[in-house]
Amino acid sequence: GSVLSPEVLDVSDACICWPPPGFVPIELCHARMPWTIAPNCRQYQPSPDTEVFVWRVKINLQTCATERIHPVRLSSKYIDCSRVGNPFCIVFTLDIPGIVAGDQFEVLVSNLTGADGPGQDLRLFHCFQAFALDDEKLVAVAQEWSNGMLKRHLW
């Protein structure tokens, strides 16, 4: 295992992604939803060896210690470096039957080229939690948006 330092946890300038790192409302997610990572192109560029790995993890929130439980297979993965849109975007889906409250994942984007040279990694941690939402309309809109993200023509 490893310990999550503030530097590892603060990825606000490093990338934009869905689901976002940190605590994620399970109500906004679906097992087959595409996960996206758009690394900040001013900090990271892909290399021929750039790869994406995902693990189920156990995070001790008191000590910030992490333990990798087992790797998660990806059912699809695209690393887009085209000149259209964001110059570097990663889209993938997990090959799992579902995401439930309490699930925790580590996503590792490895072998990036950054300011310190090649071989840099970007690590993201996701903790899915149930949020008690009493607003039925908000939940309905969130579910509709989440279902809309499953349309293949968007990706």
Side-chain angles (χ1 to χ4, degrees):
S2 62
V3 176
L4 300 176
S5 66
E7 295 79 25
V8 169
L9 293 175
D10 184 13
V11 294
S12 57
D13 291 337
C15 64
I16 297 172
C17 53
W18 179 262
F23 290 100
V24 181
I26 193 73
E27 294 84 357
L28 301 179
C29 301
H30 186 279
R32 298 286 178 213
M33 71 178 178
W35 292 46
T36 63
I37 303 171
N40 182 335
C41 61
R42 290 188 171 98
Q43 290 183 355
Y44 297 109
Q45 290 295 312
S47 74
D49 299 321
T50 295
E51 191 57 72
V52 178
F53 301 97
V54 179
W55 290 270
R56 281 194 185 272
V57 296
K58 184 175 184 177
I59 302 172
N60 182 321
L61 297 176
Q62 279 74 37
T63 64
C64 292
T66 63
E67 176 186 349
R68 288 180 177 165
I69 306 301
H70 61 80
V72 175
R73 285 189 34 174
L74 303 181
S75 57
S76 66
K77 175 185 66 178
Y78 306 96
I79 299 177
D80 181 8
C81 302
S82 70
R83 295 177 188 232
V84 177
N86 189 320
F88 179 22
C89 184
I90 302 163
V91 181
F92 58 94
T93 53
L94 306 182
D95 189 12
I96 58 175
I99 297 174
V100 298
D103 279 350
Q104 299 175 329
F105 298 94
E106 175 186 356
V107 177
L108 172 68
V109 181
S110 67
N111 294 311
L112 295 166
T113 300
D116 295 332
Q120 295 188 34
D121 297 336
L122 178 60
R123 295 172 63 202
L124 307 166
F125 293 89
H126 307 270
C127 300
F128 292 88
Q129 296 295 319
F131 283 68
L133 297 176
D134 294 330
D135 188 339
E136 290 182 26
K137 185 173 182 177
L138 175 62
V139 172
V141 169
Q143 288 174 337
E144 180 181 331
W145 183 86
S146 182
N147 290 336
M149 291 292 103
L150 295 174
K151 296 177 181 173
R152 289 184 85 57
H153 73 272
L154 293 176
W155 308 103

